[in-house]
Amino acid sequence: MRSLVAGNWKMNGLAASLAELTSLKAALAAKAPVCEVLMCPPFTLLAQAAWTVKDAFALGGQDCSPKDGGAFTGDISAAMLKDAGASTVIVGHSERRQYHGERDGDVAAKVQAAWRAGLNAIICVGETESQRDAGEAHGICTSQLEAGVPAGATAENTAIAYEPVWAIGTGKTPTAADIVAMHGHIRSCLVRRLGEGARQMRILYGGSVKPDNAAEILNLPEVNGALVGGASLKCADFLGIIAAVKPA
Ligand code: 13P
């Protein structure tokens, strides 16, 4: 399995930010990465990003509607993302859960919409700080996986991102032992639910991944890549993370 380093620009980026993607494309052409690379800019930049990047690396959306189309003002369908040049969509990010009230059932419906449109899904799970303090971290992720990952998920159409909410944008990260324990737990849940094929499904870590901690995190057992927020906005930082992935 090749690792995947994915960037999530969140609600950041104007047309001028496409220069970062041009730089990233040039850097990856000069030195081919060991891992797969995916960038998820805001919807408004996706089509322009696709023109800029061509096929140098993959592009994704940050969310999609569970519906295929129709009278849903302001929503974006998976088919629209695909049409704009995306291969993948992030679903169930904790910021969607927190600010838009998304629940596991919504996440599962969005994942199915993504698959119908031919997109791969990155399904995010993770506990809050109070849930971790209460010893509930593994249980929370179990229930998010059970209700949020639909039957039919395969290593080809789905990846999981473990993003502890308290580590996102805070500079805090779990210990290496906690990451290994959680990724092992997620792997067991996936195999129990989906069968042996789920051993090949990527489990990404997300939450304050930076160039200076990437080598430690990305080379832990059962960590098959990263989902990067803040450090994906600048090409140099993102490249530092990509460079930290060791060949399998
Ligand atoms: P940061 O890397 O900024 O902590 O964000 C992580 C994240 O939420 C990626 O989806």
Side-chain angles (χ1 to χ4, degrees), residues 8 10 90 93-95 124 163 167-170 206-210 227-231:
N8 171 12
K10 309 191 178 185
I90 299 169
H93 192 281
S94 64
E95 288 148 17
C124 303
E163 298 207 307
I168 295 176
T170 58
S208 295
V209 178
K210 308 285 175 208
L227 183 54
V228 183

Side-chain angles (χ1 to χ4, degrees), residues 40-186:
C40 303
F43 297 136
T44 48
L45 292 182
L46 201 47
Q48 289 177 81
W51 279 103
T52 304
V53 164
K54 302 283 188 245
D55 290 322
F57 52 89
L59 293 168
Q62 301 173 12
D63 179 41
C64 67
S65 172
K67 307 286 188 191
D68 293 333
F72 302 101
T73 301
D75 287 346
I76 304 279
S77 73
M80 291 171 181
L81 296 177
K82 173 103 176 159
D83 188 50
S87 63
T88 304
V89 60
I90 299 169
V91 179
H93 192 281
S94 64
E95 288 148 17
R96 303 293 315 173
R97 295 176 189 259
Q98 187 179 350
Y99 303 126
H100 298 270
E102 287 187 12
R103 304 162 76 109
D104 294 322
D106 304 313
V107 174
K110 290 180 175 205
V111 172
Q112 286 169 316
W115 295 342
R116 283 197 298 277
L119 294 180
N120 301 325
I122 297 178
I123 305 174
C124 303
V125 299
E127 80 287 356
T128 63
E129 188 153 38
S130 60
Q131 288 165 337
R132 175 156 286 268
D133 291 346
E136 295 167 359
H138 285 207
I140 291 292
C141 290
T142 307
S143 59
Q144 289 177 342
L145 291 167
E146 281 176 357
V149 179
T154 66
E156 288 72 40
N157 66 17
T158 302
I160 306 299
Y162 169 55
E163 298 207 307
V165 178
W166 52 274
I168 295 176
T170 58
K172 293 194 247 176
T173 54
T175 63
D178 284 344
I179 295 175
V180 172
M182 180 60 91
H183 280 233
H185 172 71
I186 291 171

